[in-house]
Amino acid sequence: MFPRSPTAIRIDANCYKKTATKDLENPSGFIGLDGNILNELAKIMNFTVQMSNFSNHTFYGVPLQNGTVIGSLGAVVNSIVDLATNGRFITKQEYNYVEFTVPYANDKICIIAPKSEKIPHWVETFIGFGWDVWLLLFGSISFSLLVWYTFQNIEFDKSNVNKVWMDIFSIFLNVPVKVVGSTPGRNMFLVSCYVFMVIFTGIFQGNLVRSFSATSYYAEINTLEELDTSGLKILTSLNIFNNNESTLFERLQSNVIDRNESAKEAVAYHKNVVALERKKDANLFKYVYVTREGIPLLHVVQECPISYHLAFIVTEGSPYLPRFNQLIRRMFESGLTEKWYNDVVECIIMKEKFKNSEDGKKVKPFTLYDMQLPFIVLILGVTSSICVFTYEFYLLRSD
């Protein structure tokens, strides 16, 4: 057995001691789902756990093309050990080398992807409405300008046009302005403009408040099609895309690369790859890999490509297999396997939340990043006015 969070954790931290039994009742030195199953097997069958200390047995292992089998799988195949108690997926490929115990769990293989980037506040201000709404708004303002100009029944000159434009612009910004209706038609027009903009500005201001009070993100990857479109490489040692005739799976298989580093860290911090992980564990890792503010760095893609049963492996023809199967089945049917898994998961989540609680309580002022929109508007306005003033000054000098 080798350490694997959260199913096989060494008893070396205070957080996990409460989920473990007394030292005399913990012959393996491990807790978690896999560790507790091994402990119970040892106690009931009265055997002593002797862990393999070979460095090349500290991972699951695979059969190589030359016929050699490495990792803990190789230790069982070569009869170096009798039992490997890190739960693994029951696959047809490994039946040629070992025997599986009865399954004690079932889980989906899902994709963990980098959490999408935050939407900048200045962008969120505008994407609160669709492009068609913005076009219709500017079209309504232009049409209202023509209607109000017609109602005024004044001659077309520069000063009059500026006055009409400022009147309409003030109305649509809910700025007080002195206008005279004088006729029912004009009054109805003004009332409709004011009611329209009261509703529209109310929604716009609500969107501004929401953009500052809640963090928004770009759309997450939630389907295999979206994963394929993203072009992200897939870090995995599993072979799940080859045994399918789907063209989508063929394209995904072309993006698979063997992992030579911790896949979760690569996804969370490099943000240029995705990885395959058990769904239950993936939902836990969202609490482990977070920013200082407690925001998850990982996202679990909703569409999962496949599911497997989980079991241990023993040497082929092992005389202990029938008894292993009987006891593991009892643990599963009594609900102990689910309890043991949840005990450690709850402990890890509590520890991570406590670790991030202090940063989460700090009151942080608005930064320049948060307030960049008004400064952008001001800079654009001042720059435009200077350009227009310079152009008008040039025309006057030319005259």
Side-chain angles (χ1 to χ4, degrees):
M1 173 175 266
F2 53 86
R4 181 193 179 277
S5 180
T7 55
I9 301 175
R10 294 190 187 277
I11 308 176
D12 56 2
N14 291 331
C15 176
Y16 304 123
K17 285 182 179 178
K18 70 172 186 176
T19 65
T21 53
K22 296 179 181 178
D23 291 341
L24 293 176
E25 298 176 351
N26 195 301
S28 71
F30 282 90
I31 59 168
L33 176 55
D34 296 341
N36 285 336
I37 291 178
L38 175 58
N39 294 333
E40 293 301 313
L41 290 176
K43 286 188 291 183
I44 296 173
M45 296 178 64
N46 194 28
F47 63 79
T48 302
V49 177
Q50 295 179 346
M51 288 290 177
S52 169
N53 295 319
F54 292 104
S55 60
N56 60 346
H57 296 167
T58 57
F59 60 99
Y60 284 101
V62 291
L64 303 179
Q65 293 182 350
N66 61 7
T68 306
V69 185
I70 59 174
S72 59
L73 175 61
V76 177
V77 170
N78 298 318
S79 299
I80 299 174
V81 299
D82 299 292
L83 172 69
T85 49
N86 288 101
R88 64 183 66 219
F89 306 121
I90 299 179
T91 61
K92 183 178 179 181
Q93 179 186 16
E94 294 179 353
Y95 270 121
N96 299 325
Y97 305 94
V98 296
E99 290 189 60
F100 284 95
T101 64
V102 292
Y104 62 85
N106 178 278
D107 207 352
K108 294 180 179 179
I109 302 298
C110 292
I111 292 137
I112 52 173
K115 178 73 177 174
S116 60
E117 297 293 332
K118 291 181 183 179
I119 301 176
H121 289 307
W122 70 272
V123 174
E124 193 174 359
T125 302
F126 296 103
I127 65 175
F129 300 107
W131 61 269
D132 51 343
V133 176
W134 285 112
L135 287 178
L136 188 58
L137 173 64
F138 289 119
S140 301
I141 295 175
S142 301
F143 179 74
S144 299
L145 176 64
L146 294 175
V147 172
W148 186 241
Y149 185 84
T150 303
F151 279 149
Q152 294 296 93
N153 192 25
I154 54 181
E155 296 180 358
F156 185 85
D157 62 67
K158 186 176 181 180
S159 60
N160 289 336
V161 171
N162 290 339
K163 175 66 169 59
V164 172
W165 167 251
M166 289 305 300
D167 288 346
I168 292 298
F169 192 70
S170 299
I171 291 173
F172 276 85
L173 287 182
N174 283 341
V175 175
V177 59
K178 183 178 179 180
V179 292
V180 180
S182 73
T183 65
R186 292 181 180 182
N187 292 335
M188 291 178 62
F189 173 75
L190 292 174
V191 168
S192 63
C193 288
Y194 274 118
V195 171
F196 171 78
M197 285 314 299
V198 164
I199 297 173
F200 194 92
T201 53
I203 297 174
F204 184 75
Q205 290 172 357
N207 182 62
L208 283 178
V209 172
R210 182 186 60 80
S211 68
F212 283 99
S213 60
T215 305
S216 299
Y217 298 85
Y218 290 106
E220 304 282 4
I221 299 174
N222 278 317
T223 66
L224 297 180
E225 286 282 358
E226 293 173 355
L227 174 62
D228 178 45
T229 304
S230 72
L232 292 172
K233 297 296 182 181
I234 304 172
L235 275 176
T236 182
S237 58
L238 300 174
N239 187 19
I240 66 171
F241 297 116
N242 264 344
N243 302 322
N244 194 300
E245 296 180 356
S246 166
T247 55
L248 172 61
F249 275 48
E250 290 178 0
R251 293 196 301 270
L252 292 175
Q253 177 60 34
S254 65
N255 288 330
V256 170
I257 54 178
D258 290 332
R259 64 182 189 184
N260 53 10
E261 59 179 321
S262 175
K264 299 181 289 293
E265 280 81 359
V267 175
Y269 301 121
H270 296 171
K271 294 185 176 295
N272 59 352
V273 293
V274 299
L276 298 182
E277 189 57 72
R278 302 178 194 177
K279 186 174 184 179
K280 286 184 178 179
D281 296 350
N283 288 324
L284 166 64
F285 295 143
K286 291 193 298 184
Y287 294 94
V288 177
Y289 296 93
V290 296
T291 64
R292 294 185 62 183
E293 294 78 19
I295 299 172
L297 293 172
L298 298 176
H299 168 71
V300 182
V301 177
Q302 293 179 1
E303 185 179 1
C304 300
I306 199 169
S307 63
Y308 284 115
H309 291 291
L310 291 165
F312 300 145
I313 55 173
V314 298
T315 54
E316 196 168 10
S318 171
Y320 310 115
L321 183 57
R323 185 61 171 156
F324 285 158
N325 287 341
Q326 182 186 45
L327 295 175
I328 291 173
R329 190 178 293 113
R330 288 179 184 175
M331 297 176 205
F332 172 75
E333 292 175 352
S334 64
L336 286 173
T337 53
E338 189 72 17
K339 176 190 181 299
W340 289 332
Y341 183 85
N342 291 334
D343 283 347
V344 174
V345 166
E346 290 172 5
C347 181
I348 294 175
I349 291 176
M350 252 188 340
K351 187 180 76 170
E352 295 298 329
K353 285 186 175 180
F354 179 78
K355 186 171 67 176
N356 296 312
S357 61
E358 293 186 0
D359 287 334
K361 292 180 181 178
K362 293 179 181 177
V363 178
K364 297 181 179 180
F366 287 119
T367 63
L368 181 59
Y369 177 82
D370 299 322
M371 301 301 298
Q372 57 186 308
L373 177 60
F375 287 102
I376 292 175
V377 173
L378 178 62
I379 291 171
L380 290 176
V382 172
T383 304
S384 301
S385 62
I386 292 175
C387 293
V388 172
F389 176 79
T390 303
Y391 177 71
E392 291 179 343
F393 182 77
Y394 174 76
L395 290 179
L396 289 175
R397 292 291 300 271
S398 299
D399 293 340

